[in-house]
Amino acid sequence: MKGKVALITGAARGIGRACAVEFASLGANVIIDDLPDEQSVRLLHEVKEMLESKYGVRVLAVPADISVEASVRDLFAQSVAEFGRIDIVVNNAGIAIDKDWDDHTVEDWRRSLDNNLIGTWLVSKYFGGHMAAMGGGSIVNISSTNGIDAVSPFSVGYDASKAGIINLTKNLARQFAPSVRVNSVAPDWVDTDMNKDLAPEYMAGVIEKVALKRIAQPAEIAKIVRFLASEDASYLNAITIVADGGRA
C-alpha cells in the first residue's frame, strides 16, 4: 500500500474513518470525503490532522455530497490535481432512514437511493474510468447484509439501496475489466454512530443472533476492505464478502 493513493468516501466517522486509518497506517496517501455540513467538515479535518501527524502520509480532505454530480466532479478534479492518479476507491458514504413502513415517503426513498446507490455509481464513474485509463486500480463498495436478506420493512429504502450496490458492483466489474477490480463488502451490525441511539434491549436481541455474540468494530471491516483493495486479492473480482460474525 505504501505510496498508493486511496479515496474513501464518508470518512469522517465509522467504517470510512477506520478505512482511512487502515490505509494510512500502511503508507498510503488518502483522499477523505464527507458531507459539507459543519459537523462533518470538522470531523473530516480532525481525521486529516490525525492521519498526517500519526502516519506521515499526505491527506486531502474534500467536503463533497456524492449524491450531486457536480460535487463528485469537483472531488475528482481536486484529487487528480493533488496526486496525479488514484489507485483505490472505497465507496463507503451512505445514509440510513429507519421508520415505520407507513411513514416512509417518496422523498425518503430518493434520499436513500441518491446517497447510497447513485452516489456509489457516480464516484465509480469518474474515478473508475480514470483508473482504467491509467492501467489499473481497485474499487471496494460497502453494501450490507440488509441488501442480501431483508431484515425489516423498517429500513426498506436502505435495504433496497444496499441490494442495488451488490448488483452495481458486478456491472462495474464488467465495465472496468480487466484493469480495475471491483468488489464489495456486506457488513452486518457494526459499532458506529449510525447505531448508537438504539435501545440496549434491542441491541441485546441483535447480538443474540450473532454466533460470535458481538457486533463488528469498524476496524475489522476496514481490514476486509484493505484486503480486497490489495494485490493479495488480485484474482477476486465482482464478489461480495459477507461479514456477519456468523448468523446464529
Side-chain angles (χ1 to χ4, degrees):
M1 288 294 165
K2 189 173 180 60
K4 290 188 178 293
V5 179
L7 164 71
I8 301 102
T9 67
R13 52 180 73 79
I15 294 172
R17 184 184 187 279
C19 287
V21 170
E22 180 70 17
F23 284 108
S25 71
L26 297 171
N29 300 311
V30 294
I31 304 151
I32 51 175
D33 149 81
D34 215 295
L35 288 168
D37 62 80
E38 184 177 350
Q39 182 184 36
S40 296
V41 170
R42 176 178 57 79
L43 291 172
L44 199 63
H45 284 283
E46 287 179 4
V47 174
K48 170 181 166 66
E49 291 174 5
M50 180 271 291
L51 296 177
E52 289 176 334
S53 62
K54 188 171 183 178
Y55 302 112
V57 298
R58 293 170 60 194
V59 181
L60 175 66
V62 184
D65 184 346
I66 63 160
S67 70
V68 178
E69 185 167 11
S71 294
V72 175
R73 190 183 300 118
D74 182 61
L75 171 63
F76 173 70
Q78 289 192 53
S79 300
V80 173
E82 179 71 19
F83 293 108
R85 76 178 201 281
I86 314 297
D87 302 296
I88 297 161
V89 170
V90 181
N91 281 308
N92 167 74
I95 63 169
I97 300 175
D98 296 335
K99 56 176 65 174
D100 289 338
W101 170 266
D102 289 336
D103 293 332
H104 278 278
T105 65
V106 170
E107 179 58 28
D108 291 333
W109 269 86
R110 286 179 175 151
R111 285 182 61 206
S112 294
L113 294 174
D114 283 350
N115 284 276
N116 301 351
L117 182 55
I118 295 176
T120 296
W121 168 72
L122 276 172
V123 172
S124 299
K125 174 184 176 182
Y126 282 88
F127 287 85
H130 167 80
M131 289 192 293
M134 294 291 289
S138 177
I139 297 173
V140 183
N141 299 323
I142 304 300
S143 180
S144 168
T145 53
N146 285 38
I148 299 170
D149 297 313
V151 176
S152 168
F154 192 72
S155 56
V156 60
Y158 174 84
D159 295 1
S161 69
K162 292 297 186 176
I165 286 175
I166 292 172
N167 186 275
L168 175 64
T169 296
K170 295 177 181 180
N171 276 287
L172 292 172
R174 289 180 178 272
Q175 173 63 30
F176 297 133
S179 58
V180 178
R181 296 182 300 105
V182 187
N183 296 290
S184 69
V185 181
D188 199 60
W189 290 90
V190 182
D191 186 12
T192 66
D193 287 352
M194 191 178 286
N195 306 317
K196 68 179 181 179
D197 294 327
L198 294 174
E201 57 271 22
Y202 180 83
M203 290 308 299
V206 166
I207 290 170
E208 184 59 32
K209 296 176 182 177
V210 180
L212 293 182
K213 298 305 179 217
R214 65 178 179 84
I215 63 175
Q217 292 301 308
E220 294 178 295
I221 306 304
K223 290 184 184 301
I224 301 171
V225 172
R226 183 260 301 157
F227 165 69
L228 285 175
S230 75
E231 287 305 307
D232 289 340
S234 58
Y235 203 64
L236 295 181
N237 197 30
I239 70 159
T240 297
I241 292 180
V242 176
D244 64 0
R247 290 279 187 102

